[in-house]
Amino acid sequence: LGQVFQRYFQSFHENISSGNMASLSLSSMDLEERIKGELMLLILATTAYLNVYAHTLQSTVNTANGAASTSSNIGAILNTLSSSMAVVALRMRYTPASIAAK
């Protein structure tokens, strides 16, 4: 996760220094909200991935050892994480400024 954030900020700073962000014509407040949203999506997606990975690994270990698989709430966790990602994505798409403009 640390490397993902490092690459994100590195590419973000490269875009700012090269002037690529100026073409977006975002206010500093909108840009801040966009950055927070993108970081939140990265965190939620990483959390979902790690939960699925841990669940799969545990299932594989249980199967290899001949143990009965334990029931888990992976579906409920993934539903919650995916709903959270959807809300963040909508907040990034429909900012107060974009709604006021319509």
Side-chain angles (χ1 to χ4, degrees), residues 22 64 79:
N79 283 341

Side-chain angles (χ1 to χ4, degrees), residues 5 10 13 15-16 21 24 27-28 35 41-42 58 60-61 67 76 84 86 101:
F5 287 140
Q10 186 176 31
H13 288 296
N15 285 334
I16 287 178
M21 299 302 275
L24 294 176
S27 70
S28 60
I35 292 168
L41 284 176
L42 281 171
Q58 185 64 41
T60 304
V61 168
S84 299

Side-chain angles (χ1 to χ4, degrees), residues 35-91:
I35 292 168
K36 288 192 298 190
E38 288 176 1
L39 289 175
M40 185 58 66
L41 284 176
L42 281 171
I43 291 168
L44 291 170
T46 302
T47 304
Y49 171 79
L50 290 175
N51 276 294
V52 169
Y53 179 76
H55 174 73
T56 304
L57 188 61
Q58 185 64 41
S59 296
T60 304
V61 168
N62 286 345
T63 303
N65 291 337
S69 73
T70 59
S71 64
S72 71
N73 294 337
I74 192 71
I77 292 169
L78 292 179
N79 283 341
T80 302
L81 290 170
S82 61
S83 295
S84 299
M85 285 189 278
V87 168
V88 170
L90 287 172
R91 285 194 64 197

Side-chain angles (χ1 to χ4, degrees), residues 7-21:
R7 281 194 299 264
Y8 173 79
F9 283 115
Q10 186 176 31
S11 68
F12 181 75
H13 288 296
E14 289 171 1
N15 285 334
I16 287 178
S17 63
S18 67
N20 290 342
M21 299 302 275

